[in-house]
Amino acid sequence: MTALDVAAVRRLFPALARTQDGRPVVFADGPAGSQVPQPVIDAVAGALRDGVSNTHGAFAASRALDRRLEDARAAVADLLGAPDPACCVFGPNMTTLTFALSRALMDRWEEGDEIVVTRMDHDANVWPWVLAARDAGARVRHVGFRAPECTLDLDELRAVLGERTRLVAVAAASNAVGTIHPVADVCALAHDAGAEVFVDAVHYAPHRLIDVQAWDCDYLACSAYKFFAPHVGILWGKRESLRSLPAYQVRPAGDELPGRWETGTQNHEGIAGVAAAIDYLASLGDGPDRRARLRSAFAAIAAHESVLAARLHDGLAAIAGVTVYGPRQDRAPTFGFTCRDRDAASVAEHLASRAIYAWHGNFYAVELTRALGLEPGGLVRVGLLHYNTADEVDRIVAAVRELAA
């Protein structure tokens, strides 16, 4: 396996040179959005510098844009393990694309059908399905989790699945506490019941390699700004479904994939950045093709992040009055925690005063924080990425320990 050269990686990210009061900033807010490497910045700037155009024109700039979009779609297909780039759809963000898909899927549902969501998910993978179910007269079933490990309750999932189940919506990883869910197992259970599966891979995408074929999910969405790219959303679906579902579109738009799902003019410079981000990730690995290099790169990323995650978990858990949620192992390096006698906002402010950027609240995972009894204050969230270091983890732990002194 290729080892990750973290020092070389960090040199590619201009934002990581930021300082505050003479101290290097620790970007521990990755779940809210990753920093961007220079090749991505250059790709975005180049797309604007070389001439703004639109698609399918007769002139050179438009044809160059068509090639750029085609190349970006092929890169996304490699990232997702998707066999057909035409099934990779661009949009403004995961939430907007999920709402659009929910409206289309709703057309297949009838009164009395059932939709399954979890209490672990970001609300973008809950509320679109709740609203669509309401409008279709379908019933929503919620699957809980086991606390404090915050692992999905598969026994409860088995119990709620039935012949009227039409869709199971699940996240590949929790954006609040870092739990990685057994997506392939969820897909197998759902398909045995005759249901489709929608996967929210937003938080999973920067940490592990997505494989839509191995998972056998029916739909998947993610947001590129979580994996070192600009703000662009991505939706993938099986070809037969994307072709047969009623897409909401304007009349002049074509009916072929992927155009029938891409409403309006896309963020062309952002999509150029998406391709550059995927190529950046592939550059961290070895192999004969981009998918192989991505596989190698994500193995190196996971190895590095697992060391950071164990160090951060053990450091926080050893502090008196700190409760850490989520499993210790086999997780993304994202931690939700609370400090006794301290509200989450004050902890985040304390970290910010130490040049450590972290978040507080529910992070839109409102079902999770409600189930844990942590509303309205929520959690403190520290989320690392492959450009973070062991020294930064130690700074985070030391800053939290100050609050217990």
Side-chain angles (χ1 to χ4, degrees):
M1 180 182 69
T2 302
L4 191 67
D5 186 342
V6 180
V9 164
R10 289 179 64 85
R11 288 194 292 271
L12 291 173
F13 287 80
L16 300 185
R18 183 179 183 131
T19 61
Q20 177 180 312
D21 301 326
R23 288 179 290 190
V25 165
V26 178
F27 284 95
D29 61 339
S34 60
Q35 301 309 309
V36 179
Q38 190 64 48
V40 173
I41 297 170
D42 292 343
V44 173
L48 295 171
R49 182 186 59 243
D50 293 344
V52 175
S53 183
N54 216 319
T55 57
H56 309 311
F59 50 93
S62 178
R63 289 174 177 173
L65 172 61
D66 290 338
R67 290 192 297 272
R68 187 180 300 127
L69 296 179
E70 183 178 341
D71 291 345
R73 219 177 297 280
V76 169
D78 285 341
L79 181 70
L80 304 184
D84 186 352
C87 294
C88 300
V89 174
F90 293 118
N93 50 60
M94 175 270 182
T95 303
T96 300
L97 289 167
T98 304
F99 267 110
L101 183 65
S102 73
R103 296 289 99 185
L105 284 172
M106 184 185 76
D107 190 64
R108 295 179 173 177
W109 303 340
E110 299 177 354
E111 188 170 350
D113 285 344
E114 296 184 347
I115 311 304
V116 177
V117 297
T118 89
R119 298 196 186 279
M120 290 283 293
D121 279 43
H122 188 291
D123 210 49
N125 200 28
V126 176
W127 206 241
W129 309 115
V130 170
L131 294 178
R134 180 199 66 187
D135 293 346
R139 178 186 182 189
V140 177
R141 307 291 297 271
H142 289 79
V143 174
F145 58 91
R146 297 184 174 93
E149 296 84 3
C150 296
T151 53
L152 195 64
D153 191 336
L154 292 183
D155 290 334
E156 188 173 349
L157 174 61
R158 291 185 184 95
V160 302
L161 290 171
E163 63 180 14
R164 297 305 299 271
T165 308
R166 296 293 172 259
L167 181 82
V168 175
V170 66
S174 166
N175 75 306
V177 296
T179 307
I180 293 177
H181 299 309
V183 174
D185 293 340
V186 172
C187 291
L189 290 170
H191 290 160
D192 285 347
E196 294 184 305
V197 180
F198 177 93
V199 176
D200 169 9
V202 171
H203 192 63
Y204 189 93
H207 303 295
R208 299 288 192 276
L209 184 62
I210 296 166
D211 195 330
V212 295
Q213 293 186 89
W215 288 346
D216 194 27
C217 56
D218 299 280
Y219 313 96
L220 179 143
C222 57
S223 287
Y225 75 98
K226 302 297 178 75
F227 60 82
F228 320 108
H231 287 77
V232 176
I234 295 165
L235 170 69
W236 171 87
K238 291 182 176 178
R239 170 172 275 275
E240 57 270 25
S241 294
L242 293 184
R243 284 289 301 120
S244 62
L245 285 169
Y248 287 75
Q249 59 185 134
V250 294
R251 288 173 296 175
D255 201 43
E256 296 303 313
L257 293 176
R260 70 191 308 264
W261 289 94
E262 292 184 339
T263 55
T265 300
Q266 296 296 304
N267 177 3
H268 297 148
E269 61 273 21
I271 292 170
V274 172
I278 295 169
D279 283 337
Y280 156 73
L281 286 166
S283 76
L284 303 179
D286 296 316
D289 55 50
R290 184 162 49 200
R291 179 67 179 178
R293 292 192 294 275
L294 286 166
R295 187 178 297 108
S296 170
F298 273 98
I301 287 170
H304 172 66
E305 291 182 348
S306 294
V307 172
L308 297 185
R311 191 183 188 102
L312 182 55
H313 179 280
D314 293 350
L316 291 174
I319 301 172
V322 171
T323 300
V324 182
Y325 296 90
R328 182 183 183 275
Q329 296 178 318
D330 299 325
R331 58 170 299 139
T334 300
F335 291 85
F337 67 93
T338 56
C339 295
R340 185 176 59 218
D341 302 326
R342 301 271 186 171
D343 63 87
S346 68
V347 176
E349 289 167 0
H350 172 75
L351 294 175
S353 74
R354 303 301 191 265
I356 299 167
Y357 295 177
W359 282 93
H360 67 279
N362 59 37
F363 328 112
Y364 289 77
V366 64
E367 296 285 346
L368 183 144
T369 51
R370 284 175 178 169
L372 292 174
L374 296 176
E375 286 295 325
L379 296 152
V380 183
R381 183 181 66 183
V382 172
L384 307 177
L385 288 163
H386 70 281
Y387 50 58
N388 290 113
T389 68
D391 287 343
E392 290 179 325
V393 169
D394 293 344
R395 279 183 60 187
I396 294 166
V397 172
V400 176
R401 190 179 294 118
E402 290 175 347
L403 297 174

